[in-house]
Amino acid sequence: MSIRSKILRELEKKPRRLGELKSVLGNDKKVQRAVEELVESGRVQYKNGACFLTRGGLADAALPCRLVKLGENFAFASQADGPDIFIPGRGLNGAMPGDGVLVKLFDKPKVAGSLEGEVLAVTEPRDTFVGVVVAEKGKLFLSPDDCPFLRLQIKKSAAGGVRPGDKAAVELLERGSDYADHRAGVAMRFGSAEKARQCVRALLYAAGRSRQFPDKVKAEARTIAEPGPADFKKRLDLRAEPIFTIDSAETKDIDDAISISASADGWQLGVHIADVSHYVRAGSALDKEALERGTSVYFADSVIPMLPRQLSNGVCSLNEGVDRLAFSCIIQLDKTGAIQNFRFEKTVIRSRVKGVYSEINALLAGAADEALVEKYAPVASQLPVMAQLYQRLAAARKARGCIDIETDEAKLVLDEEGRCVELEKRQRGLSERMIEEFMLLANQCAAKLARIHKLPFVYRVHESPNAEKTERLRDLLHLAGLNASFKGDAPTVAELAALLDATRGKPLERAVHMGVLRSMAKACYEPVPKGHFGLALRDYAHFTSPIRRYPDLAIHRILSDYCAGVSARELESRYIAFAAEASERSSAAEVAAMQLERSADSCYKAEYMATHLNETFAGRVSGVSRHGFFVELDNTAEGFVSADTLGGEPELVEGFSLRAGRRRWQLGDQVFVKAVAANVALGRVDFELADAAAE
């Protein structure tokens, strides 16, 4: 039998890596040459080290998938189109989470109606993993963050000086058909896994996020100068207007400024946004990098910017007392706060004051000292006018049934060494709410203009809940003893808003608000105007943050050409494909950034809780499973109470409550817990119930 026939016979059994074929058949050079001939003839495919038949073999029945979750004895593989496939441990063949794989379905799955299968080959191997270095039996291993039960052995010759307890990134240098056969080499050592700052560095590395920009991008940024008279030509000069910014005290990348005046007919509101598209030109190195990043990432006291600091904190930022180029939305509103008309103008502005939320809240409450009064004197007359308009806008928001879900955002206080030493719930005052409403108005206007004039565009879309999620919400409401009926198949935004208001400030608030949030579709970017369900708006887009979000920069570019008189045909030619690509990539970048920010916050919260072990805290049950329940503390830290510590046989009631013995815990219940463990690297905190007297 020829070597080619032997190879085909082996591949009929299952796909194999080239190294396996050489091991089974011997004579490496002949096997290599025969595989090349079979690939050339089209009978075999070879991809990333895996060989499989292309005709008349198992590859015909194999599905291309990606391994998305790996448990201790199972995994799930995700298809591009179709439900996830369950993979039992015996069918994994050493595949790692993130790998592109070929999966063959079982003819007879154990669970009727489900999809089950085995990994035939890894076609797109993921090579980099981040985790904690551990020592076992004199050898070093990496315990990966996304599958901490695994142990990837680190080769002595590629250990890079890591020690047990280090946070590190490794690359898989050798792969076997079993996890014990994988061998890794250290690519980056970050430091102690007990320090949140080092763990977050590792998260950023794993996500491919960096504060550093490519040399070409930095060089391009250095060529951008401060705006001067030549840049002001053909712009509306608003430097004499009392325009100012309002942000957090630590904000350095200032996107937006406002101005306002009242009249007998209502108000004129100016929302002035940094004209980033003037500097970041289509197809430039800056533009390509901004599209790749998609958004800035914020966590603790840090930011990974979408644009280099020369732009984000410098020439684009609407800093106090300097001339800046802006793209302004000038809005006329009637006495009820309804939009009467609006226009977009390229402008030059000069911010009078760098406003701070907490300071303006103090001024509006009449609690400001003389120094604050003096600081805000140039814009003092605008503050009460802003508050008046906000009251009208808030009333209109409530009347249209806008969904206002209470979520707990944490404020993390770090010491000089970057350790989290304080954790508290971030408060939203009157000034924060005012700015939010004013930005919503400008965003509405941008989307309305695009829809009416049929411009290629990037809309912010939020669709109504689907049937499956609506049914889950009904189940939750029923178990909570609340009205679970809606007039139609799906709840209206007004019905959900009423439900949120009815539970606000009550024990069930967290459970119901999170239940409503989970019932809704994920907001995303699309080139088609579908409206925003949660805001109860027909027209919505993101226009107001082009320094930190690519969709805003994208629509600035489109609106700039529209305002400059570019024809509809030319706009369509330039931007149809661009709007679609920007929508898709910006949606993906947003999800990735949110996951990264959430993981980073969890590390810092665990670091804080690690200094408060064996202390008792009050909290509320925020989630339940058959393995135990989650408790969120007043400071926003969340931990898990394992069912193993509860006593009795745990019984889960429809994802709403957990029984163990004679006791029952349900969503929203207040409990007293003791922090017993904190894993900074995984951002995990473990609680145990405090004694009955404490409860």
Side-chain angles (χ1 to χ4, degrees):
M1 184 181 291
S2 70
I3 190 69
R4 292 201 299 177
S5 297
K6 290 179 181 179
I7 290 171
L8 292 172
R9 186 179 63 180
E10 290 297 323
L11 295 182
E12 282 174 359
K13 299 174 185 177
K14 67 175 184 178
R16 290 183 179 271
R17 300 188 70 78
L18 181 58
E20 290 181 87
L21 289 173
K22 290 178 179 179
S23 176
V24 171
L25 301 176
N27 200 328
D28 289 1
K29 290 184 178 180
K30 283 190 176 181
V31 170
Q32 178 82 39
R33 191 181 308 115
V35 167
E36 291 172 356
E37 291 171 355
L38 288 167
V39 169
E40 188 176 346
S41 69
R43 298 188 68 184
V44 168
Q45 287 191 38
Y46 177 73
K47 188 172 184 181
N48 294 320
C51 303
F52 50 92
L53 298 179
T54 54
R55 292 192 296 271
L58 292 176
D60 289 336
L63 300 172
C65 300
R66 191 162 298 279
L67 208 69
V68 291
K69 180 180 180 181
L70 180 63
E72 291 192 52
N73 299 302
F74 68 93
F76 284 97
S78 174
Q79 306 179 68
D81 295 303
D84 288 354
I85 302 168
F86 177 81
I87 312 291
R90 58 183 170 79
L92 283 166
N93 290 317
M96 298 291 292
D99 282 350
V101 294
L102 283 176
V103 174
K104 181 188 178 184
L105 295 178
F106 294 151
D107 294 333
K108 296 180 179 180
K110 288 185 177 180
V111 179
S114 68
L115 294 181
E116 298 179 20
E118 64 176 333
V119 174
L120 295 179
V122 174
T123 56
E124 297 176 22
R126 169 191 168 190
D127 292 326
T128 302
F129 295 86
V130 170
V132 179
V133 177
V134 297
E136 294 180 0
K137 297 180 180 179
K139 298 178 181 179
L140 291 179
F141 298 83
L142 186 88
S143 171
D145 288 347
D146 48 4
C147 41
F149 50 85
L150 271 189
R151 296 293 182 266
L152 299 177
Q153 186 174 336
I154 299 171
K155 298 183 73 169
K156 281 187 179 181
S157 59
V162 295
R163 295 174 295 183
D166 277 351
K167 193 79 176 182
V170 304
E171 293 183 2
L172 283 188
L173 304 177
E174 301 171 13
R175 278 179 174 253
S177 57
D178 187 85
Y179 298 117
D181 297 328
H182 294 346
R183 293 295 181 268
V186 172
M188 183 72 71
R189 177 186 174 191
F190 300 101
S192 173
E194 294 181 357
K195 295 182 178 180
R197 174 159 285 184
Q198 308 307 334
C199 293
V200 171
R201 285 181 60 213
L203 286 171
L204 295 171
Y205 180 90
R209 289 278 183 171
S210 174
R211 290 182 176 86
Q212 299 300 314
F213 286 82
D215 290 342
K216 190 174 182 180
V217 174
K218 290 191 290 187
E220 196 170 278
R222 286 194 293 268
T223 66
I224 296 175
E226 289 285 318
D231 299 299
F232 304 156
K233 293 178 180 179
K234 298 183 180 179
R235 286 181 177 262
L236 179 64
D237 193 338
L238 299 179
R239 285 175 289 181
E241 297 293 320
I243 293 171
F244 67 113
T245 64
I246 310 178
D247 292 278
S248 300
E250 60 272 15
T251 300
K252 295 182 175 64
D253 49 349
I254 304 175
D255 285 294
D256 55 88
I258 58 166
S259 60
I260 191 169
S261 60
S263 68
D265 299 325
W267 294 268
Q268 176 174 287
L269 174 68
V271 179
H272 313 282
I273 308 300
D275 192 4
V276 180
S277 64
H278 176 83
Y279 301 103
V280 181
R281 302 292 184 171
S284 64
L286 280 165
D287 182 50
K288 291 175 182 177
E289 183 68 14
L291 177 58
E292 180 67 26
R293 294 184 177 224
T295 180
S296 297
V297 178
Y298 297 85
F299 56 90
D301 62 346
S302 300
V303 58
I304 308 299
M306 183 180 79
L307 297 170
R309 295 187 187 277
Q310 293 99 319
L311 277 74
S312 62
N313 295 5
V315 69
C316 291
S317 185
L318 304 182
N319 299 325
E320 178 183 2
V322 294
D323 294 343
R324 286 291 179 259
L325 306 184
F327 201 176
S328 300
C329 182
I330 313 297
I331 312 168
Q332 302 293 332
L333 305 111
D334 65 19
K335 293 180 180 179
T336 69
I339 298 172
Q340 296 304 294
N341 54 67
F342 61 86
R343 71 184 194 276
F344 286 88
E345 296 268 9
K346 287 299 182 90
T347 59
V348 53
I349 68 170
R350 182 183 297 155
S351 173
R352 302 289 183 88
V353 179
K354 183 185 186 298
V356 176
Y357 288 129
S358 59
E359 295 174 352
I360 291 178
N361 288 335
L363 283 163
L364 292 171
D369 58 23
E370 290 185 10
L372 276 188
V373 171
E374 182 178 353
K375 173 182 175 179
Y376 287 91
V379 295
S381 62
Q382 294 200 60
L383 298 183
V385 181
M386 288 169 55
Q388 291 168 5
L389 175 57
Y390 167 73
Q391 296 302 329
R392 300 293 193 280
L393 295 174
R397 182 188 184 107
K398 187 174 181 63
R400 71 175 186 263
C402 180
I403 292 175
D404 189 8
I405 294 177
E406 294 294 338
T407 56
D408 295 331
E409 184 181 350
K411 181 179 180 181
L412 309 174
V413 180
L414 309 187
D415 65 13
E416 292 180 356
E417 295 183 0
R419 295 190 183 94
C420 186
V421 295
E422 193 59 57
L423 195 59
E424 57 191 46
K425 190 181 297 185
R426 194 179 293 276
Q427 302 296 326
R428 290 174 69 239
L430 179 56
S431 65
E432 287 94 335
R433 295 178 186 275
M434 286 193 304
I435 293 301
E436 180 182 329
E437 287 295 334
F438 297 162
M439 297 304 113
L440 283 174
L441 286 173
N443 288 335
Q444 282 179 255
C445 293
K448 184 174 183 179
L449 185 151
R451 178 179 58 80
I452 289 174
H453 294 280
K454 299 180 179 179
L455 305 181
F457 216 61
V458 178
Y459 295 92
R460 184 63 169 174
V461 169
H462 186 224
E463 298 188 78
S464 59
N466 63 30
E468 181 181 352
K469 290 186 175 182
T470 297
E471 196 57 38
R472 289 180 192 167
L473 178 60
R474 283 197 179 100
D475 291 342
L476 171 66
L477 297 176
H478 177 74
L479 290 166
L482 299 171
N483 181 14
S485 62
F486 304 117
K487 291 180 180 179
D489 293 337
T492 65
V493 66
E495 286 174 322
L496 291 181
L499 183 63
L500 296 173
D501 288 341
T503 55
R504 209 176 300 278
K506 298 181 179 179
L508 281 171
E509 175 185 278
R510 172 74 175 174
V512 173
H513 282 227
M514 294 311 295
V516 169
L517 183 62
R518 293 188 185 104
S519 75
M520 294 193 296
K522 175 76 178 71
C524 63
Y525 299 102
E526 292 192 24
V528 180
K530 297 180 180 178
H532 197 291
F533 176 81
L535 294 173
L537 293 173
R538 180 182 183 183
D539 299 305
Y540 200 64
H542 277 166
F543 169 79
T544 54
S545 296
I547 290 177
R548 63 183 180 89
R549 287 190 308 227
Y550 194 84
D552 307 52
L553 172 58
I555 69 172
H556 272 230
R557 189 170 292 150
I558 296 167
L559 289 175
S560 294
D561 277 0
Y562 170 80
C563 292
V566 175
S567 70
R569 178 176 294 181
E570 181 60 24
L571 287 172
E572 185 171 309
S573 174
R574 288 183 190 178
Y575 295 119
I576 281 282
F578 169 72
E581 181 185 14
S583 296
E584 181 178 359
R585 295 183 64 174
S586 295
S587 294
E590 178 188 39
V591 171
M594 288 177 62
Q595 292 172 342
L596 184 53
E597 290 169 349
R598 193 176 297 121
S599 296
D601 281 356
S602 294
C603 290
Y604 280 108
K605 290 179 181 181
E607 182 178 57
Y608 172 78
M609 294 303 296
T611 64
H612 294 273
L613 297 182
N614 298 314
E615 295 182 23
T616 298
F617 298 87
R620 292 196 178 275
V621 177
S622 56
V624 295
S625 76
R626 63 187 179 87
H627 301 294
F629 56 85
F630 290 93
V631 175
E632 184 177 47
L633 308 183
D634 292 339
N635 63 15
T636 75
E638 189 173 56
F640 189 68
V641 178
S642 173
D644 294 338
T645 67
L646 299 177
E649 186 68 25
E651 178 188 356
L652 181 65
V653 182
E654 297 291 338
F656 178 72
S657 65
L658 185 71
R659 289 195 186 99
R662 297 182 178 181
R663 302 182 67 187
R664 180 187 183 207
W665 299 269
Q666 71 177 36
L667 292 173
D669 280 353
Q670 185 179 55
V671 293
F672 289 87
V673 293
K674 181 171 62 175
V676 295
N679 188 319
V680 179
L682 297 180
R684 177 185 172 117
V685 178
D686 291 328
F687 291 147
E688 288 183 4
L689 289 175
D691 57 45
E695 290 194 49

